[in-house]
Amino acid sequence: DGANFESNPRLAKYLFLLLKHGVTIAVVTAAGYEYQAAKYELRLSGLLAYFKEKGLKGDDLERFYIFGGECNYLLRLGADYKLHAVKENGPGGWMNSTKHMSESPGNWSESEVKSVLDMAEASFNSSMEDQNMRARIIRKKRSVGLIPKADEKITREALDEAVLRIQSELDNSKINLPFCAFNGGRDAWVDVGNKRVGVQVLQSYLGVPPEESLHIGDQFLNTGNDFAARSVCPCVWITSPEETSYILKSILRLAGVPLMAILNPVDYEDMKQVNGDKDKKGIEKKVDFDEMERRTSRLAMDVFTGEMIPLQRAASRDV
């Protein structure tokens, strides 16, 4: 829904524990800022700050990935707690290594990509005119978005109608590239590629079989961008970060990982329920997310365009 990962220490802790115990985690997202790592880092600022505070090291850090634009831009976390582009081509490049897959981005032609984007832009223009939407269209390298004008909202029904329209048009065209047309809640997008391709590329590149993969998402209707992943791995349909936390906690318990491996005040109630221990000695100081956010930057980011905005200006947009 365009929100950033800023202040969810419980979810951050479970992701930390999974990485510490050998699990590879990839955030497969529609957010597409090409390889502008700082913009993804801003969206994940709270999570990356937690990893740094807790001292995540070495191979554990390098098992965290982000796949931007559904399946277009692969980045990996480094020892400096920053995201770095994974090489696309040449020996070991993720595109080169997955060209055996017919739908891999390494096999797309730029002319076909342009055709998808041209159709999407034309369709969104028609929807905007037919429904009198107070919206505007933005075009990126691998996506086209229908987004609200400043201080305006687009109804979910109007967004669904726009998505169903372009889905039908692309399905009935001669275009063979995978695509994703979806309702993002506040906006609608058409991406070249989809999360099915993103998950398959990761499975192939990382050597993880489908039965050892799990996709967690909240957009599994046919106008959502998680829908496509259903065909390539087990999926869990959640509706909130709290449900994601519950799923991760269940995985950790089933794997026999002690949830009190790292202690902080946000977990104390859990600790009492698990073992009845009321002794708070040894509890680490928690990450102060509010203070971290205050200190990090005087810039905000327009999640639609990736534009960096001074906070004062951003605040005026929200009034």
Side-chain angles (χ1 to χ4, degrees), residues 55-120:
L56 197 64
K57 301 290 184 185
D59 293 343
D60 298 336
L61 280 171
E62 293 180 353
R63 282 195 299 274
F64 184 86
Y65 293 84
I66 186 163
F67 219 163
E70 314 279 2
C71 61
N72 284 286
Y73 314 112
L74 185 60
L75 300 95
R76 185 181 194 178
L77 194 58
D80 56 357
Y81 300 96
K82 294 184 179 297
L83 293 166
H84 302 272
V86 177
K87 182 174 65 172
E88 291 184 344
N89 299 304
W94 71 267
M95 279 193 185
N96 191 62
S97 300
T98 58
K99 280 192 173 183
H100 64 280
M101 299 167 46
S102 61
E103 292 188 325
S104 170
N107 297 320
W108 300 347
S109 73
E110 288 305 314
S111 62
E112 288 183 301
V113 169
K114 183 178 182 300
S115 294
V116 173
L117 299 180
D118 287 346
M119 284 190 65

Side-chain angles (χ1 to χ4, degrees), residues 195-214:
K195 289 191 179 181
R196 179 186 71 245
V197 175
V199 172
Q200 285 184 308
V201 165
L202 287 167
Q203 289 169 341
S204 176
Y205 182 65
L206 300 173
V208 179
E211 63 270 20
E212 294 180 14
S213 310
L214 179 67

Side-chain angles (χ1 to χ4, degrees), residues 122-134:
S123 182
F124 279 162
N125 270 310
S126 296
S127 291
M128 194 166 59
E129 181 178 349
D130 293 348
Q131 298 188 63
N132 295 316
M133 292 183 186
R134 296 175 180 177

Side-chain angles (χ1 to χ4, degrees), residues 21 249-259:
H21 287 82
K249 184 176 182 179
S250 298
I251 293 170
L252 288 163
R253 281 180 166 167
L254 289 169
V257 176
L259 295 184

Side-chain angles (χ1 to χ4, degrees), residues 261-282:
I262 46 174
L263 302 176
N264 59 48
V266 75
D267 300 311
Y268 186 62
E269 290 304 316
D270 284 348
M271 183 175 68
K272 289 194 295 184
Q273 291 174 19
V274 171
N275 58 23
D277 186 0
K278 297 184 179 181
D279 182 8
K280 296 186 181 182
K281 291 181 180 179

